[in-house]
Amino acid sequence: MFSVRPRLRTLLARAHSAADAGDWQGAVDAYSAILRRNPGRADLRIQLGHAFKEMHCIADAEDAYRRAAEDAPDDPDAPFHLGLLQMSRGAPDAALAALESALSRDPLHEGAFDALWNSRLLPDLPPSLLARIRQALRADVADREAALARQNRRKQAAERHGLSDYASFRPAMTIPAPTPPAGTGPVLIQVDGISAAPSFVRMTLESLLASTHSDWQVIVHVDDKGMEHPVASLATVDPRITFISAHDQGRAPLQSAAISAYLTAGTWLDPEALGWIIHTFSTTEAQAATCDWDWCSHAWDKDLSHAAPEVHGVFDMDRLAASPVPPPLIALRNASRDGPLACEDRRRILLSLGVGARIAHIPLPLAAIGSIAERAKIAPKNGEDMPIWSQPRDGAEPGSGNLADAPLCVTYRPGRPPLTQGAFATGRDPIRVIIPTRDCAVQLNLAIDTLVQSASQPELLSFTIIDNRSAEPQTQVLLGQLASRTGFAVLHCDTPFNWAALNDLAAGQSGEPILVLANNDIEMLSEGWDDRLRIQLQRQDVGIVGARLLYPDRSIQHAGMIFGFNEGAPIHDGVGTGLSNAATDPRFDHCHACSSVTGAFLAIRKDLYVQAGGLDPVRFIVAYNDVDLCLAVRALGRTVLYDPGIELIHHESLTRGVNDNRKKVAWDQEELRALYHKWGEAIRDEPGISPWWARDAVYQAFRPLEKAQIIDYIARSADRPWTPRPGITAAGAPLRPKHGLS
């Protein structure tokens, strides 16, 4: 990894920020300045090539890629991008040479292989290189053809289910009009235009003037320059528009309305946005409302182009607190405020409403953060610089600590999304870890050692090891050693395997206030995991805490569980996500509420475990016992929290194996049927993921929604969204026997 000297950090941040914002000239200037001081930075020279390519400076881009390839002779990325550039300019021979170089450096470079395959240049590679590729892939070209065919089939299936990507989905999407309510009064819109460019103010006002709902009033808060700009003349044209100078904020009358909306100048509102906001407050008891949104850009002779959608499930405090960009639009009921809400103020207002607040989410992209016109992006600055986007793409400046008036604390991590946790200090509650085992002595010992060694307060840890018919001599030796250690109890259960019964028995005999159910095939990776559990379980809203589990190759095995996808059975979110995305993908790397977590590592307070009825050893002997417990805790009004701040390796199913034959799959299906019999359609209901995602493949395709589905989702989001819906559980389900629970 390269080390960046302090004096170059500002330039590097400026370069990356310019590239993210689409300011390609600014990116070229910044990357070039760095490379003059550090000419050997091949990675930055590649970024310079990207910026030149976006500016259509093909010769400059080609030179940057070539120099990067020379500076890093073992790195395949520079010749790969050079090959793509040559392909785009219609030079197949040059493209072949560059991509051949990339594959010579890395025979497993899928991008280079796919580019040659798609352009039908693959047979032109030297036979020796093809042989190397075959050997590296451990398969011949026919196997690669089959893999590509499977990819094409998945893509075609995604397209059949509502278009495969947002760029094609959004232009074809028509936001439906809600049923107009009666007698709601005007919507008061407060626009933060202080220090905003006049073109951004104009964009927002234009979108309001095109609204299908005409009963609104807007107050635009600007600085003195804004008051003198021609854009302020719109107040003389339309009586619904008022401009207020920042100096007059204290003298302006307090504004109040039944519904108030807050946004930043440069936010474009869909024509139906106000109608859906009014519908939400008219049909629910929501105190506040948010919506989906995206980023939009434009040229003078083209329609808005939408990209980078932010489509969410129901309101989630942890997701909001960790998000790099606050929502561009929020609406409040009966708000009385004498000024605008800046970006971070909108976040804080929502968080300050607290646990249990009714915050509706409208699953429609009603707002878009706008950019300046394409021609303006490349215009000279000449002392009149302005940001490309109306709202910063990177959000607020990082800084750890408590959020004002919010029950959360945020900790920022270099290169990864921030983590949220409860705002209270770490306690000293003892923790009981319960681990069923059958042999696997080496793995059991590793699990215990890593849990103890990684704990901040190991003296407050106790263990119950449940021996379920272990037969290997080394296991018996280990169990004898553990039984003699302070804080360890060994229970011998000579019965057929029943995960729920084993854990329920140990839980009933435990006196500690916090229980951790853990498998014997885990390795704890996170220092201080015990204190993190204590903090999270002190939260008023949280009932169960789960962790991020990784396979030994560090790809994701569990990032919470989601309902209603694929065949409808509960599945692990993020499973199989590779090394690069597993570390940084915000879907899998920040805390959030989820439908369930796996019992391979699950923490709960003992009193809540008892209140929820514990585990069910009759209906869920092997599988879905963790899902059943999570649903029971959610039925009590508590949240199941996925926390990637606690991370483990999980050698999945070392003891009981996997469902790899008819007999095991048949058993699994019977337990799934029992789960459906008990909880009904609740096991298909996934509040945490936007309804726009197609349910046959996670995060792969958008689907059209009927207006009735949108209305139902809004109502659900405003009314205890994580609680299983009443009236869907099966009547007359037999009671579970108890196993020693107090």
Side-chain angles (χ1 to χ4, degrees):
M1 180 177 293
F2 288 102
S3 176
V4 182
R5 294 192 299 272
R7 62 198 181 104
L8 294 180
R9 287 176 183 158
T10 301
L11 266 180
L12 188 59
R14 185 185 306 166
H16 292 334
S17 177
D20 290 342
D23 178 11
W24 302 115
Q25 184 61 61
V28 165
D29 294 343
Y31 285 128
S32 298
I34 298 172
L35 288 166
R36 283 194 291 271
R37 296 172 173 84
N38 293 265
R41 288 290 300 267
D43 60 325
L44 297 184
R45 202 168 293 281
I46 290 174
Q47 297 301 322
L48 176 63
H50 294 343
F52 274 130
K53 185 170 67 172
E54 293 291 341
M55 295 175 64
H56 305 289
C57 299
I58 303 303
D60 292 325
E62 183 177 346
D63 180 69
Y65 291 143
R66 287 191 188 281
R67 291 191 59 183
E70 294 169 359
D71 292 340
D74 296 326
D75 190 344
D77 283 344
F80 166 63
H81 289 294
L82 178 60
L84 295 184
L85 180 67
Q86 302 288 21
M87 197 82 71
S88 67
R89 60 190 289 260
D93 292 340
L96 175 63
L99 295 171
E100 178 184 337
S101 176
L103 286 168
S104 297
R105 300 174 183 204
D106 179 9
L108 292 176
H109 198 290
E110 291 190 6
F113 193 105
D114 290 348
L116 287 169
W117 176 266
N118 293 330
S119 59
R120 301 184 180 181
L121 292 175
L122 188 65
D124 294 334
L125 288 177
S128 59
L129 181 54
L130 279 174
R132 285 185 61 202
I133 294 170
R134 291 190 187 100
Q135 183 179 5
L137 293 173
R138 297 182 181 179
D140 59 17
V141 175
D143 291 331
R144 184 63 183 179
E145 290 179 6
L148 289 172
R150 287 194 297 272
Q151 288 181 11
N152 288 334
R153 285 197 296 273
R154 287 196 297 269
K155 180 180 178 181
Q156 291 167 5
E159 289 172 347
R160 286 198 302 272
H161 288 277
L163 304 177
S164 58
D165 57 60
Y166 193 74
S168 56
F169 178 80
R170 185 65 178 89
M173 175 185 179
T174 301
I175 303 289
T179 303
T184 57
V187 178
L188 176 63
I189 303 150
Q190 302 259 18
V191 178
D192 178 16
I194 299 173
S195 301
S199 60
F200 285 148
V201 175
R202 176 192 174 108
M203 177 183 290
T204 296
L205 293 179
E206 272 195 296
S207 70
L208 280 171
L209 292 169
S211 174
T212 58
H213 180 82
S214 60
D215 193 5
W216 51 264
Q217 298 286 329
V218 60
I219 299 176
V220 185
H221 302 265
V222 295
D223 54 22
D224 291 341
K225 289 184 178 180
M227 291 296 293
E228 297 300 322
H229 193 276
V231 72
S233 68
L234 291 174
T236 65
V237 176
D238 192 314
R240 297 173 297 178
I241 300 174
T242 301
F243 278 76
I244 294 181
S245 168
H247 293 303
D248 295 330
Q249 294 293 329
R251 296 190 293 273
L254 188 68
Q255 302 292 331
S256 63
I259 302 173
S260 298
Y262 298 87
L263 60 153
T264 300
T267 302
W268 176 89
L269 296 181
D270 186 87
E272 302 296 343
L274 297 182
W276 278 107
I277 290 172
I278 293 170
H279 166 88
T280 299
F281 286 107
S282 300
T283 59
T284 74
E285 297 180 4
Q287 300 160 257
T290 62
C291 65
D292 292 336
W293 51 276
D294 54 29
W295 301 78
C296 69
S297 56
H298 65 284
W300 66 270
D301 57 345
K302 293 181 176 62
D303 292 334
L304 292 178
S305 173
H306 295 266
E310 290 282 343
V311 292
H312 297 283
V314 298
F315 177 77
D316 187 320
M317 280 202 308
D318 291 85
R319 285 187 189 272
L320 174 63
S323 174
V325 180
L329 169 67
I330 69 168
L332 303 175
R333 186 192 296 273
N334 297 324
S336 296
R337 303 187 181 279
D338 58 359
L341 291 179
C343 298
E344 284 303 312
D345 292 332
R346 294 196 293 272
R347 188 202 306 265
R348 291 188 176 94
I349 285 291
L350 292 176
L351 291 172
S352 68
L353 291 176
V355 175
R358 294 178 182 268
I359 301 178
H361 183 76
I362 306 170
L364 293 166
L366 300 180
I369 297 177
S371 73
I372 59 178
E374 295 298 324
R375 179 64 184 84
K377 293 178 183 178
I378 60 175
K381 298 175 182 178
N382 291 338
E384 291 291 340
D385 193 17
M386 65 175 290
I388 297 291
W389 296 95
S390 60
Q391 188 168 317
R393 299 202 77 169
D394 295 330
E397 290 294 321
S400 300
N402 292 336
L403 295 167
D405 302 321
L408 291 177
C409 181
V410 178
T411 302
Y412 287 87
R413 304 178 291 175
R416 297 180 67 176
L419 285 175
T420 48
Q421 63 185 44
F424 298 103
T426 304
R428 287 187 54 81
D429 283 342
I431 295 175
R432 170 69 60 171
V433 181
I434 300 171
I435 306 178
T437 192
R438 179 177 294 178
D439 292 317
C440 297
V442 173
Q443 190 61 48
L444 172 63
N445 195 41
L446 180 62
I448 294 171
D449 283 350
T450 57
L451 287 168
V452 172
Q453 293 167 8
S454 301
S456 293
Q457 303 183 74
E459 71 278 7
L460 298 179
L461 290 183
S462 299
F463 289 82
T464 297
I465 310 302
I466 311 170
D467 171 30
N468 183 219
R469 292 181 170 177
S470 295
E472 296 174 355
Q474 61 180 344
T475 305
Q476 298 302 327
V477 171
L478 175 62
L479 293 175
Q481 294 171 346
L482 294 175
S484 65
R485 288 173 59 177
T486 301
F488 280 78
V490 177
L491 301 179
H492 297 280
C493 294
D494 186 13
T495 62
F497 179 76
N498 185 320
W499 190 88
L502 295 174
N503 281 282
D504 217 24
L505 174 64
Q509 298 180 12
S510 301
E512 289 76 11
I514 296 176
L515 301 176
V516 173
L517 309 184
N519 281 10
N520 64 349
D521 55 353
I522 61 171
E523 298 175 42
M524 177 57 71
L525 300 176
S526 298
E527 297 291 331
W529 64 270
D530 54 329
D531 278 349
R532 189 160 183 85
L533 278 184
R534 292 183 180 96
I535 290 172
Q536 299 291 41
L537 288 173
Q538 288 179 43
R539 290 171 52 172
Q540 179 184 345
D541 57 318
V542 172
I544 285 176
V545 176
R548 183 160 86 160
L549 306 184
L550 306 178
Y551 288 113
D553 68 356
R554 298 306 199 271
S555 60
I556 289 180
Q557 190 262 325
H558 168 271
M561 298 178 72
I562 54 176
F563 292 179
F565 282 81
N566 294 328
E567 296 180 355
I571 60 173
H572 288 193
D573 199 9
V575 63
T577 301
L579 294 176
S580 58
N581 289 334
T584 58
D585 194 316
R587 289 196 304 261
F588 313 132
D589 204 21
H590 61 60
C591 299
H592 60 266
C594 62
S595 292
S596 178
V597 294
T598 177
F601 188 90
L602 181 155
I604 184 174
R605 298 196 73 87
K606 171 69 180 292
D607 55 356
L608 185 61
Y609 184 91
V610 173
Q611 187 181 359
L615 295 166
D616 186 338
V618 175
R619 282 173 282 207
F620 311 112
I621 296 171
V622 177
Y624 304 111
N625 27 57
D626 43 13
V627 177
D628 175 57
L629 178 62
C630 287
L631 282 164
V633 167
R634 285 168 50 193
L636 295 173
R638 298 295 190 92
T639 295
V640 176
L641 184 71
Y642 163 69
D643 187 349
I646 304 171
E647 195 169 60
L648 309 95
I649 294 174
H650 183 209
H651 302 270
E652 190 176 19
S653 302
L654 278 184
T655 300
R656 66 179 178 88
V658 296
N659 296 329
D660 56 1
N661 59 48
R662 278 189 178 181
K663 183 183 293 186
K664 291 180 180 179
V665 171
W667 177 269
D668 181 85
Q669 290 295 295
E670 288 304 307
E671 292 196 314
L672 180 59
R673 186 172 67 87
L675 187 72
Y676 183 71
H677 178 71
K678 179 176 181 180
W679 294 102
E681 289 300 311
I683 70 169
R684 299 188 203 271
D685 182 30
E686 179 49 63
I689 297 179
S690 168
W692 287 103
W693 287 112
R695 260 41 185 178
D696 62 335
V698 188
Y699 312 124
Q700 289 188 13
F702 292 98
R703 64 176 181 177
L705 288 182
E706 300 292 334
K707 187 163 106 173
Q709 292 175 292
I710 298 170
I711 291 173
D712 179 70
Y713 196 87
I714 292 172
R716 171 87 164 119
S717 72
D719 184 21
R720 300 182 70 201
W722 287 101
T723 304
R725 298 196 191 196
I728 62 172
T729 55
L735 295 175
R736 69 183 73 172
K738 293 298 172 188
H739 287 259
L741 283 175
S742 58

